[in-house]
Amino acid sequence: MATNNDIWAVVETDNTGKPKKLGLELVSMAAQVAAQYGGQGGAVVIGPREAAEVVGQYGASQVFYCADSRCKSDIVGPAAAAIASLISQHNPRLVLLPSTPLGKDWTGRISGKLGLGIQADTTELTVEGGRATTVTPAFNGALRVSSQFTTEGQQTGLVIVRPGTATAQRNEGAQASLQEVAVPGDVTPGMTVVESVVEKGGVPDLAGAQVIIAGGRGLGSADKFSLVRDLADALGGAVAATRAVVDMGWIPYAYQVGQTGKTVRPKLYVAVGISGEIQHKVGMQTSGTIIAINKDPNSPIFGFADLGVVGDLHQVVPPLIEEIRRRKIG
Amino acid sequence: MNIVVCMKSVPETTAEKRLLSDGTLDRDSVPVVINPWDEYAIEESLRIREKGDGSGEIVLLCMGPEGSTETIRKGLAMGADRAVLISDPALHGSDMWATAAVLAAALKNMQYDLIMFGSQSTDAGGGVVYNIIAEMLGLPAVTWINEIEITDGKVRGKRGSDVGYDVVEAPLPAIASVTQTANEPRYPSLPGIMKAKKKEVANMSLADLGINGSQVGLQGAKTAVTGSERPQSTRQKQMVKVEDPETTAKVIADFLESRKLI
Ligand SMILES: Cc1cc2nc3c(=O)[nH]c(=O)nc-3n(C[C@H](O)[C@H](O)[C@H](O)COP(=O)(O)OP(=O)(O)OC[C@H]3O[C@@H](n4cnc5c(N)ncnc54)[C@H](O)[C@@H]3O)c2cc1C
Ligand SMILES: Nc1ncnc2c1ncn2[C@@H]1O[C@H](COP(=O)(O)O)[C@@H](O)[C@H]1O
């Protein structure tokens, strides 16, 4: 079955029912890509009608939403079945999905159901001569690999997109048509959430953060992590850490950046007391600006920092926090 | 309880990567290791058996070139019982969907209560293979979990959420993909390494699995690599040495302002 020229975005909602930021980025991106094909942007929202209304302001002409409560107990199976069923009814050319654990779970299930190809971890998408080319960092970021769907136009292509690839663009006057959809009959059960635990202080959205201040073993002790938090407060950023710090129990695994942690791409990454070993580097090397503070001038981190500050972090960070606060007020 | 652990052989992170003239990675020039995420899956599978009644088999399943045998031996030395390696020239260039189709075909002929995976691979991994397989085999899957437990015929674990974590579960038989856990993958002991040399590594081809080569590999792939390049580093690499911290603080703040970051 040939596809049409429409491009869709799949949108996750948070626990208050609001669309997630990455989803809105994808909605705007879908509309832009669709325009290049002469098609229309669409969206599938797993969440309530209110979320679909918001999504309609970001460039989608048609918004499908699935508000079925079954998508909350089993977060994967019912939603993936609903999205797959919409794809097989409407045959969009490409579907953009969020590069999050849940987005990937859905993508895999949809591909398995419908036999569709996947481009994962996309950081760029261009259209030329009626074909989409996606770019993905591979081999720990040592290479940038471009690929295409061999089946483009014949079957829907699933593109998993990283945060920050596109900008969410709101147009309040936009009129989208909203349509509620049901969970179809053929659901393969995914996983059941038996308990949702809220952690004090919350969890950082590292993948989507614009500014990240990361602390390493060089901080010296767990209580000195407050330096990192205060600097993050001053710069309006999120806090992250190396594995060394996670292993010592100074901070939970959710904050770990690197090969076996999260991959991040903020506009600013400040590495405080971090050596910059390759396993850490691969999780943050595509950040916009990198600033490193380390007392060892031979530390590997200085090999890929825009600004390298050689010195004792305990001496530099407190006046830096003061200086930034002063300039923000002034 | 029988567990299959799917493990991938990947280029070592620290190794220098060279490109072939066609732009693909020169895989022969780089040392390979078990995908670090899969080492956690192997460790957890051994712990599940140790915590239980100690019975049941742990089998490693790998699709990859024949050179993967060396990496597989390391997993066997950690304590897995035997391994299945699917190697076939026709698999060159397989994409995620094709990889999943091949692994799913192999799994159909295996005994399992639980199939374990790493949550992503470090080479070109997208973290999607296990969900495609789950759908193909009609199995539930708990993914991106740690603190994995088996109780009352269910697999359970903690999965990070926006506000903390979810406790998620699925009835066996099921798929589980793990993240880095507090349990460091064990180093193979010397006796473990000796024993591993005698453990079975069964080689399977596509014909053994009843798969037609045109459905997988470059021919059957639904995606194709069209080019690759090394990212150009445009880092400024400006260095400042701290003499007077107050002055350095100003230098950093000026730098942030010059890049419109404050
Ligand atoms: C399979 C595998 C997976 C891994 N995955 C990850 C991962 O996901 N993420 C990750 O981060 N790591 C990972 N690692 C670990 C990685 O190799 C490094 O060990 C780790 O990143 C080091 O953390 P660090 O920089 O905090 O500590 P260190 O390497 O100990 O560096 C501390 C730095 O602080 C500096 N310092 C000390 N005191 C001061 C001071 N007073 N002022 C200024 N600077 C100071 C030192 O000069 C040093 O450079 C992994 C390793 C393996 C084998
Ligand atoms: N060729 C392969 N052979 C065996 N297992 C694999 C293979 N490719 C991927 N896997 C498994 O699937 C997980 C996710 O891989 P990926 O989807 O490539 O990120 C890995 O951690 C492995 O457990």
Side-chain angles (χ1 to χ4, degrees):
Chain A
M1 178 87 182
T3 68
N4 58 32
N5 285 330
D6 295 348
I7 312 293
W8 286 5
V10 170
V11 182
E12 290 177 47
T13 50
D14 64 19
N15 60 346
T16 64
K18 294 205 180 66
K20 291 201 187 174
K21 181 164 163 273
L22 174 54
L24 298 176
E25 291 175 11
L26 301 192
V27 174
S28 295
M29 179 172 166
Q32 279 165 17
V33 176
Q36 298 180 60
Y37 282 110
Q40 293 199 310
V44 185
V45 179
I46 305 301
R49 184 178 178 92
E50 294 74 45
E53 281 165 0
V54 174
V55 164
Q57 297 173 349
Y58 284 83
S61 317
Q62 178 152 45
V63 183
F64 300 97
Y65 65 99
C66 180
D68 195 310
S69 63
R70 277 177 289 171
C71 297
K72 283 195 175 150
S73 49
D74 174 354
I75 52 181
V76 177
I83 303 164
S85 150
L86 280 167
I87 291 174
S88 46
Q89 281 165 53
H90 298 269
N91 298 295
R93 192 172 189 97
L94 302 172
V95 177
L96 315 181
L97 295 109
S99 179
T100 59
L102 188 57
K104 289 183 170 190
D105 288 339
W106 290 341
T107 310
R109 292 270 173 192
I110 297 164
S111 165
K113 256 185 213 303
L114 305 177
L116 305 181
I118 301 170
Q119 303 283 14
D121 297 316
T122 298
T123 54
E124 276 174 59
L125 193 163
T126 50
V127 180
E128 217 175 297
R131 280 186 86 98
T133 300
T134 61
V135 173
T136 305
F139 303 104
N140 308 300
L143 294 182
R144 279 162 42 94
V145 174
S146 318
S147 2
Q148 296 184 336
F149 288 102
T150 54
T151 48
E152 183 170 344
Q154 288 140 48
Q155 59 166 215
T156 303
L158 305 175
V159 185
I160 303 176
V161 182
R162 288 224 180 137
T165 303
T167 317
Q169 282 170 339
R170 186 160 178 211
N171 170 7
E172 273 178 59
Q175 289 290 325
S177 97
L178 307 189
Q179 189 184 326
E180 181 164 13
V181 295
V183 171
D186 58 338
V187 174
T188 313
M191 70 177 95
T192 308
V193 178
V194 288
E195 194 188 351
S196 274
V197 177
V198 178
E199 269 177 324
K200 223 177 44 200
V203 172
D205 171 23
L206 289 183
Q210 298 287 315
V211 174
I212 292 179
I213 316 301
R217 204 201 305 261
L219 288 165
S221 60
D223 58 313
K224 283 292 185 290
F225 219 89
S226 58
L227 284 174
V228 172
R229 290 187 209 285
D230 291 349
L231 183 54
D233 274 349
L235 284 166
V239 166
T242 64
R243 170 159 174 182
V245 164
V246 171
D247 284 348
M248 289 185 292
W250 295 0
I251 199 163
Y253 169 61
Y255 292 81
Q256 180 178 318
V257 167
Q259 178 170 270
T260 46
K262 299 221 163 85
T263 302
V264 300
R265 196 162 51 132
K267 288 209 173 80
L268 172 65
Y269 191 92
V270 185
V272 183
I274 292 177
S275 61
E277 290 293 330
I278 182 113
Q279 291 92 352
H280 186 74
K281 180 183 176 189
V282 298
M284 46 65 82
Q285 64 190 344
T286 57
S287 301
T289 294
I290 297 174
I291 298 182
I293 305 174
N294 194 307
K295 68 178 180 189
D296 173 8
N298 299 318
S299 191
I301 190 94
F302 292 130
F304 54 97
D306 296 279
L307 180 65
V309 180
V310 185
D312 184 350
L313 67 91
H314 302 285
Q315 286 181 10
V316 179
V317 176
L320 177 60
I321 294 167
E322 288 310 310
E323 185 65 26
I324 291 165
R325 290 208 176 117
R326 203 172 307 132
R327 293 197 191 196
K328 278 200 160 167
I329 300 163
Chain B
M1 175 140 146
N2 294 313
I3 305 178
V4 177
V5 186
C6 289
M7 58 154 275
K8 188 176 187 182
S9 200
V10 298
E12 200 184 299
T13 311
T14 50
E16 177 65 26
K17 277 136 196 124
R18 272 188 297 177
L19 299 188
L20 295 171
S21 55
D22 68 354
T24 62
L25 182 82
D26 179 5
R27 285 195 183 249
D28 293 336
S29 72
V30 285
V32 285
V33 294
I34 303 176
N35 173 28
W37 297 71
D38 301 348
E39 279 193 316
Y40 286 99
I42 298 172
E43 177 61 35
E44 292 302 319
S45 73
L46 295 168
R47 281 174 184 262
I48 288 170
R49 178 159 71 182
E50 286 156 7
K51 267 197 253 166
D53 60 5
S55 74
E57 225 188 356
I58 297 174
V59 182
L60 305 178
L61 173 61
C62 177
M63 169 183 133
E66 269 160 39
S68 313
T69 313
E70 228 176 288
T71 353
I72 290 173
R73 292 269 174 225
K74 175 158 184 235
L76 294 173
M78 285 173 74
D81 301 306
R82 62 185 178 87
V84 175
L85 170 62
I86 308 160
S87 274
D88 202 302
L91 285 170
H92 176 74
S94 289
D95 63 357
M96 288 170 247
W97 184 84
T99 302
V102 171
L103 293 174
L107 285 161
K108 276 187 188 143
N109 301 318
M110 298 171 80
Q111 300 277 323
Y112 57 77
D113 301 290
L114 182 65
I115 312 171
M116 296 186 66
F117 292 80
S119 288
Q120 73 186 32
S121 53
T122 56
D123 52 356
V128 289
V129 158
Y130 40 87
N131 272 295
I132 309 177
I133 295 173
E135 194 63 31
M136 287 172 169
L137 299 177
L139 292 174
V142 282
T143 60
W144 301 88
I145 62 166
N146 56 33
E147 297 188 28
I148 184 167
E149 264 174 51
I150 308 288
T151 32
D152 307 328
K154 285 181 183 150
V155 52
R156 190 182 258 236
K158 280 189 187 176
R159 167 173 161 124
S161 74
D162 302 332
V163 291
Y165 61 89
D166 290 341
V167 178
V168 292
E169 68 174 28
L172 301 174
I175 279 178
S177 89
V178 303
T179 63
Q180 178 185 309
T181 68
N183 305 320
E184 272 305 292
R186 63 194 67 184
Y187 284 108
S189 64
L190 203 57
I193 294 170
M194 298 312 288
K195 269 198 231 159
K197 291 188 175 148
K198 295 195 199 83
K199 289 179 180 171
E200 176 191 289
V201 179
N203 276 285
M204 291 188 92
S205 66
L206 287 179
D208 296 329
L209 293 173
I211 294 177
N212 181 330
S214 68
Q215 294 166 332
V216 294
L218 278 175
Q219 253 191 309
K222 294 168 190 294
T223 59
V225 171
T226 51
S228 67
E229 56 171 26
R230 277 180 199 281
Q232 293 302 314
S233 169
T234 52
R235 298 281 169 209
Q236 195 172 321
K237 296 194 192 167
Q238 177 188 334
M239 298 288 279
V240 284
K241 192 164 179 321
V242 181
E243 308 285 355
D244 164 47
E246 314 283 332
T247 313
T248 310
K250 291 200 172 71
V251 171
I252 302 172
D254 286 346
F255 180 86
L256 288 168
E257 270 181 1
S258 74
R259 294 202 170 196
K260 300 200 168 45
L261 293 164
I262 42 172

